[in-house]
């Protein structure tokens, strides 16, 4: 188990980035510790380490899945993970474009806004969007 | 527009298979015709023809997205589209495995059952699942 | 309260039809009685008796709302209530058509199927859909 | 297509108001442009131009539908569209009142709050709510 | 880990009953095995073994939670687990009654039907519902 | 009815606390009055006064149910009601821990954050979380 967890934390850093992990470490406490352990072991120590899907595909799948559920905080997190995992802005846009027809304009529009904000924060938006 | 629609129908056949399309053609009527036109033009004549994502990735994205919404009829359709678009059973399984942690065991379990049924119907399950 | 309930039951008959109410009366028991009382008093003895919206509009609102939630049993009930309240098939179709863009093709398609089945059961579909 | 789009933009102005459209025009960019085109063509250039439902009914349907999904940004937009399309505050209140029994107090309460805020912003609330 | 799993399987039997577990064992295969392992380790080998809530409360919580999501297969399973964990029919009814106001009549009504069917199958309904 | 309502308001104070009720009284107006009446009569004047479940269990059920729906405002309200009804922080944590497996990490994580904030606001967090 300690080994599984250590590998999970390494994966977490690769997927979410150093800043995210530092911020996360500062906020652990007795209340959320069982949640964090679950995520460390099952998400980053298991799902994200499996080789049946590449990580970029996992991120794009999550962006669409979380759009269907309209969960902005996690959509932001996985636009970030998609970039960290090598996705282009066009691939993120294509993923969101698909949700318009399948999930409806309401949820798609919310995700387009969230994704734009994250890409701006990451300093990637202005150059890309310039004509 | 007629051209867009013709290309859409060709894409629909590639993605969903001939049997699906024949069955679909038999059930069109004055009531569902506007829905079918929307799907022909916007899903198969647009989304599925875009080149910002490959079709296999689109199918896997939809399997997860529809799991989050618990929509069995459409999950079945896109397990089928995933196979038609070149996905392996391992990739479908990996996509569903990811939904366990992110969407919860309830919705994941329903999709595992639906996917197994479709793979059996397509005659792909027994050989694959043999040890 | 008894008066409120009596008025509610009269409204229920007008909105859902005699057959629906007879079927419903046969299945009441100690377990579902509190649910039925709630519905008699709050839905049919209150909401459906208010004059801030006409009943046809209430039915169309519910068809769309229940499509967003993908609840087939109740969608069927309110396609029926829409017809009982004077809606045309075109108005039901227009309501469902609007859900395609706002709720996505998945939920819209499920509702189109349910609505078609109910309209057939009511003996209204064939003549209407004939070219 | 250009004609469809032009008609759509005229409809958009009538439904959502000039301020909304000006604000929207300022924020278009390469990332959200495909979403905006979809909405212009399919929502405002199609759904909102159909004559099978009047626009006030469409707005009320959306207020209820979006309440079922708990999507505050869009609920606000369609309280606004309801007023622009001739709905009274009583009709909006009646629509929300119906969601209490059908969607539950949680989602209904969130929508009542959002609607009150929008009506205040539009300068319509104080006079109406005065005894 | 093998110990965790063995304890999980013992808990599973207590919570869901022998028949459920036998049926479940017959349907395990290469496709659903990872899902089953997740459930064995995380649900029955962890959640259901924790002592921060008694098992009856867990079952009632799940009946309400699954009603909010409208997931009939799992609602049926947890009406069964509630009885196995010592809940009375009155407690199940009280749990469902609370969902009427909080989740709305639509989802509550579906769960009342599912629960009634399960209680009948378990041979508990007729005597209880007799006046 | 006036008696039912008076009892409901007494229950509301016990469950939600004096501050909550004072704040609520200040914001009643002609628009939200029908919603408030519904809640006073059906939630606090009925559901919360029934003796088929104790109030602490009702609060824990709602925390999980609202997590499944991802409704932060109401989750906050019922973490508060749980404490008022005698729940320990361990019981709230155990309820949320169960949602991780059943509702997925996304919704569980949002609720853990909301619950932590409320417990801090109530001045209960720091002492409890100290090692």
């Amino acid at each position: 188990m300690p080994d599984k967890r250590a590998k999970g934390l390494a994966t977490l850093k690769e997927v979410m980035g150093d800043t995210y992990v530092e911020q996360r470490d500062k906020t652990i406490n007795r209340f959320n510790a069982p949640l964090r352990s679950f995520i460390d072991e099952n998400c980053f120590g298991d799902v994200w380490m499996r080789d049946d899907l590449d990580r970029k595909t996992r991120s794009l799948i999550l962006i669409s899945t979380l759009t269907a559920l309209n969960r902005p905080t996690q959509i932001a997190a996985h636009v970030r993970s998609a970039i960290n995992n090598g996705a282009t802005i066009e691939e993120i846009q294509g993923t969101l474009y698909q949700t318009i027809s399948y999930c409806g304009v309401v949820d798609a529009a919310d995700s387009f806004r969230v994704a734009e904000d994250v890409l701006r924060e990451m300093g990637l938006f202005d150059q890309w969007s310039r004509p």
Side-chain angles (χ1 to χ4, degrees), chain A:
Chain A
M1 197 67 93
D3 188 51
K4 191 178 171 188
R5 202 154 168 202
K7 282 183 186 161
L9 289 173
T11 310
L12 170 59
K13 266 193 189 163
E14 288 162 23
V15 171
M16 302 304 302
D18 287 351
T19 320
Y20 184 95
V21 177
E22 276 160 38
Q23 191 55 37
R24 189 178 185 263
D25 284 350
K26 281 187 201 143
T27 55
I28 193 159
N29 56 48
R30 183 181 162 201
F31 189 65
N32 61 25
L35 169 74
R36 300 279 176 93
S37 295
F38 183 97
I39 292 172
D40 293 350
E41 285 170 29
N42 289 291
C43 297
F44 295 102
D46 182 5
V47 170
W48 286 91
M49 294 184 67
R50 288 166 66 102
D51 54 13
D52 44 23
L53 291 178
D54 63 88
R55 287 187 187 169
K56 185 179 79 177
T57 303
R58 291 199 187 282
S59 293
L60 298 177
I61 284 174
L62 282 171
I63 288 173
S64 175
T65 304
L66 294 160
T67 296
L69 299 169
N70 202 276
R71 300 291 184 259
T73 308
Q74 285 291 307
I75 292 164
H78 288 290
V79 168
R80 205 170 280 276
S81 83
I83 296 289
N84 291 340
N85 288 324
T88 62
I89 297 185
E90 281 79 4
E91 287 171 316
I92 294 170
Q93 189 186 37
T95 301
L96 291 179
Y97 190 80
Q98 176 167 308
T99 68
I100 307 175
S101 289
Y102 285 94
C103 307
V105 294
V106 176
D107 291 337
D110 282 350
S111 283
F112 267 96
R113 266 191 299 271
V114 170
E116 184 181 324
D117 288 348
V118 173
L119 295 169
R120 281 186 200 283
E121 268 175 51
M122 296 181 90
L124 303 169
F125 196 77
D126 284 345
Q127 195 184 351
W128 179 84
S129 64
R130 214 165 289 151

